[in-house]
Amino acid sequence: MNVSAILTAAATPTAPALVLRPWCSDDIPELIEAYKDPALRRGARSPLESEDDVLRWMRMQEEGWETGDRFGFAVLEGTPDTARQLVGNVVLKDVAAGEPCAEVGYWTAAAARGRGVAPRALEVLTSWAFDTFGADGLERLQLLHQVDNPASCRVAEKCGYAFDRTLPAWPPTYPLDGHLHIKTAPEHGTSDDVRAD
């Protein structure tokens, strides 16, 4: 499946609107800047330490969209016409027709933390995932984070991803134990905040 989408989250009384769109080469400078943050690097499966790492990561994002099994979105503040500042990333991965489960992930740039970016972006991604892939058999989404990341735990719970269990460490990908959260597809309905092009 070759899907392309631009998703939006409406502004709130305390936060601007968000735009979620596929990553592009224009994002490289802000991506490099975001990965200078030690907290982001510590929690990343593959820290981006050089420009070559960033270019490989960007190719992986493009290939995921082309093959239809991984959908990474740059999260920017603003509307589709005014979006400028990179504030995070959300991803839907391990998507396959007939498979009931896929995984989501996210991070927030250091300067945007504490402003509700991750939960708002995750809610939009979750609705889009079920709306887009539910007919192909998607029934639940998994969210994994290391136990030393209580902020991710709060985001998961706020977005309705129920804690399922603690998973043992699996170095080098997961050097610490992790929490597994799960969200099941809603019975009916679609999200009003999603606009797919």
Side-chain angles (χ1 to χ4, degrees):
M1 173 186 283
N2 193 348
V3 175
S4 181
I6 296 174
L7 314 179
T8 60
T12 71
T14 58
L18 298 176
V19 174
L20 289 66
R21 60 150 173 78
W23 287 91
C24 67
S25 59
D26 290 347
D27 300 321
I28 289 175
E30 286 186 285
L31 183 60
I32 290 170
E33 188 62 31
Y35 265 88
K36 290 180 181 176
D37 171 36
L40 178 57
R41 292 167 61 92
R42 186 172 51 254
R45 287 187 189 179
S46 302
L48 306 181
E49 298 177 352
S50 69
E51 189 169 336
D52 286 343
D53 291 343
V54 170
L55 293 174
R56 273 192 296 278
W57 188 86
M58 281 291 191
R59 277 194 298 276
M60 183 175 71
Q61 305 312 306
E62 292 168 0
E63 289 168 4
W65 280 92
E66 289 169 5
T67 60
D69 63 358
R70 179 186 180 93
F71 303 95
F73 291 87
V75 180
L76 302 108
E77 286 185 335
T79 65
D81 296 329
T82 65
R84 289 191 179 92
Q85 182 181 2
L86 176 69
V87 292
N89 169 68
V90 290
V91 62
L92 173 67
K93 51 191 171 182
D94 302 327
V95 179
E99 288 295 321
C101 188
E103 183 181 343
V104 296
Y106 51 86
W107 55 257
T108 304
R113 290 190 192 124
R115 300 193 334 227
V117 169
R120 292 170 61 221
L122 179 59
E123 286 173 348
V124 170
L125 177 72
T126 299
S127 294
W128 177 79
F130 286 133
D131 291 347
T132 304
F133 301 103
D136 290 332
L138 182 63
E139 299 173 0
R140 68 185 178 280
L141 295 172
Q142 295 182 337
L143 187 157
L144 299 135
H145 66 82
Q146 293 188 158
V147 294
D148 67 340
N149 191 343
S152 266
C153 210
R154 288 190 299 272
V155 168
E157 291 170 351
K158 183 174 185 177
C159 293
Y161 283 77
F163 174 77
D164 185 70
R165 66 185 179 274
T166 300
L167 301 174
W170 189 38
T173 306
Y174 287 105
L176 301 175
D177 289 354
H179 285 173
L180 173 64
H181 296 260
I182 294 177
K183 181 158 185 155
T184 56
E187 294 283 332
H188 306 285
T190 60
S191 170
D192 294 332
D193 289 339
V194 177
R195 178 181 69 100
D197 292 332

